Amino acid sequence: MTEQIDAPVAVVTGASRGAGRGIARALISAGWRVYLTGRTVDGLGEGSVAVPLDHRDDAAVAALFARVEGETGRLDLLVNNAAAVHDALTRPEPFWDKPLELGDVLDVGLRSAYVASWHAAPLLLRGPRGLIVFTSSPGSVCYMHGPAYGAQKAGVDKMAADMAVDFRDTPVHTVSIWMGILLTEKMRSAFDGNPEGLTAMAEHAETPEFTGRVIDALYRDPAREALSGHTVIGAEMAVRYGITDEGGRQPGSHRDMLGAPRTPSDVVVR
C-alpha cells in the first residue's frame, strides 16, 4: 500500500560513504525522505531508507524505483552520485600503467546515471517540480586523474545538458554540480596523527554535507528553471543561496585554477 508522504522524496545513489552519504545526511536534516543506495549502504535514522544494490544490476535499479513508487507514490529529487572509484585513481602514472578497472567508472558512474535517470523520469514528471542532480568536478574540463575519470565527469555534465532538452516545457530540471576537495571520512583518516595538516587541508575543502545543503536550496529555488541543463560550481551556488560550511567557512570555487564549466549549446538536432 502506498504511504501518504508529505516530505519531499529523494534517491541518492552511492550513499554508502563519502559524498553521497553526506548529501543524504544533509537532505534528511532538511526534512527529506531519502532512499540511499550502495553495495554496503545502511540507514541514517529517521527519514532514511537504505537500499543495498549494485548499480551494475539494471534489474535491481528498476526494483528500487518501483519500490519508491509503491511506498511513496512520488519522487522529487534524484542525485546521481554512484561511481566506481578505484584505489589507484590518484596515482600519477599514465592510464596504460594503471589497472584497466579504472574504466569501470564509465559503467558505474556514467551509464548508471543514465539508467537511474531513465527509471526516475516518469516518477519525477508526475510531481509539481522534479530535479535530477549529477555530482561532478572540474575533471570535466581539465586533466584530473586520467581519461576515464575525465570522460565520466564530462559525460555527466553533458547528460545534464541533454536531459534538460528532453525535459523542456516540463516541471523537471537537471543540473550537474562541481564539488570541491571533499572532507570525506577517507580524507580525514589520511591525516591521522597530523591534525595541523588536516586543518590546513580543510581551509581549501568542503564537507559532503555542504553539497547536500546546496542541492536542497537549488531544489527550492523558484528561479531554478534558468539553471536547467547547466553545470554549476557548488561553492558559487552556496554564495548565491547564503550557505556556509562547518565553522561558517565559505569554500572557494577553484574556477580560476581549474577552469569553468562549459556552457550548453543551444543547437538541438533531432
Side-chain angles (χ1 to χ4, degrees):
M1 178 182 294
T2 301
E3 182 181 347
Q4 182 64 40
I5 298 293
D6 294 324
V9 176
V11 169
V12 179
T13 72
S16 296
R17 60 187 65 82
R21 195 152 187 86
I23 290 168
R25 188 179 290 114
L27 291 173
I28 292 165
S29 295
W32 289 76
R33 175 169 175 153
V34 179
Y35 286 78
L36 304 84
T37 76
R39 287 183 297 174
T40 58
V41 74
D42 56 8
L44 288 169
E46 186 176 356
S48 71
V49 182
V51 185
L53 64 83
D54 187 335
H55 277 274
R56 293 176 179 85
D57 185 343
D58 290 354
V61 175
L64 159 69
F65 287 97
R67 176 178 176 181
V68 172
E69 180 180 19
E71 292 180 354
T72 71
R74 64 187 290 182
L75 180 64
D76 303 285
L77 169 66
L78 168 64
V79 180
N80 280 310
N81 173 74
V85 178
H86 196 280
D87 288 343
L89 178 68
T90 58
R91 284 180 3 204
E93 297 99 324
F95 75 90
W96 58 86
D97 284 336
K98 293 182 182 181
L100 182 59
E101 288 74 20
L102 265 72
D104 289 350
V105 76
L106 301 176
D107 184 8
V108 178
L110 186 56
R111 184 181 183 278
S112 63
Y114 183 87
V115 172
S117 300
W118 188 89
H119 285 288
L123 269 175
L124 291 165
L125 286 165
R126 292 183 194 173
R129 48 187 291 105
L131 178 65
I132 297 177
V133 171
F134 301 84
T135 59
S136 188
S137 86
S140 165
V141 298
C142 71
Y143 183 95
M144 185 180 288
H145 308 323
Y149 178 87
Q152 189 265 331
K153 296 307 179 190
V156 296
D157 288 0
K158 185 65 163 68
M159 208 173 281
D162 288 359
M163 286 184 183
V165 174
D166 286 348
F167 281 123
R168 189 176 292 168
D169 302 322
T170 79
V172 178
H173 304 126
T174 62
V175 175
S176 190
I177 297 181
W178 283 5
M179 300 183 292
I181 301 167
L182 291 181
L183 278 172
T184 61
E185 300 92 335
K186 185 175 182 179
M187 174 68 79
R188 291 178 190 274
S189 67
F191 287 90
D192 283 350
N194 182 14
E196 295 83 5
L198 178 60
T199 298
M201 170 63 73
E203 287 299 314
H204 306 283
E206 306 168 0
T207 66
E209 290 79 5
F210 177 72
T211 300
R213 292 195 288 273
V214 169
I215 292 171
D216 176 65
L218 176 62
Y219 176 82
R220 302 176 194 279
D221 186 348
R224 190 185 73 193
E225 184 176 5
L227 296 170
S228 191
H230 288 257
T231 297
V232 299
I233 297 175
E236 295 176 358
M237 296 302 293
V239 173
R240 169 176 173 149
Y241 297 131
I243 295 170
T244 57
D245 208 348
E246 63 181 19
R249 290 186 309 105
Q250 195 76 64
S253 78
H254 309 301
R255 174 187 287 266
D256 292 341
M257 180 173 63
L258 298 177
R262 295 186 176 96
T263 301
S265 171
D266 59 2
V267 176
V268 176
V269 178
R270 293 196 184 272

